Amino acid sequence: MNNTSRLKVKNRLEKSHKVDEAALKYFQYPNIGVSDDRSEIVFLTSYPPRECGIATYSKDLISALEEKFGVSMKITACPLETTGNVHKYPPEIEHVLNTDHAID
């Protein structure tokens, strides 16, 4: 979940009558209280800047899941590419799977 989304959710929590203190703390201090043992979903898929419908769909799906479940689970994209088709990905992409190399 990016900082803009985090801020929006924090503002909604503050305005609601039932404020979950743990959730509010997460949005104030995103690195506190987030354990590394959260469940993780990893999407092995094409991803923008690749121009194809699956890449666009994957990005939209991952964004929606992060917005809905980002506090309770980690959502990760791992784009697929080949040696001859390399892209520059946004900073949130930590890993890329080169499908030309079976051992990657």
Side-chain angles (χ1 to χ4, degrees):
M1 178 179 288
N2 64 37
N3 287 336
T4 304
S5 297
R6 210 175 252 121
L7 183 60
K8 287 179 185 177
V9 173
K10 178 183 175 278
N11 289 338
R12 278 187 277 170
L13 282 171
E14 288 177 334
K15 290 177 184 177
S16 72
H17 295 288
K18 296 180 180 178
V19 176
D20 181 336
E21 292 300 320
L24 188 56
K25 183 178 178 181
Y26 170 78
F27 291 104
Q28 289 173 335
Y29 309 101
N31 295 326
I32 296 173
V34 177
S35 66
D36 292 333
D37 61 346
R38 291 182 296 162
S39 297
E40 181 176 13
I41 298 174
V42 178
F43 288 89
L44 300 173
T45 184
S46 57
Y47 197 82
R50 177 177 281 186
E51 295 179 5
C52 76
I54 293 173
T56 303
Y57 173 80
S58 296
K59 181 174 174 139
D60 292 345
L61 176 62
I62 290 166
S63 294
L65 289 171
E66 282 179 335
E67 188 172 317
K68 182 74 174 175
F69 302 108
V71 175
S72 60
M73 71 175 50
K74 184 176 179 182
I75 313 292
T76 304
C78 181
L80 304 172
E81 62 181 32
T82 62
T83 303
N85 197 1
V86 178
H87 297 89
K88 180 159 177 60
Y89 294 99
E92 67 266 13
I93 300 300
E94 297 175 13
H95 305 284
V96 175
L97 181 64
N98 186 325
T99 58
D100 288 341
H101 305 291
I103 298 179
D104 275 357

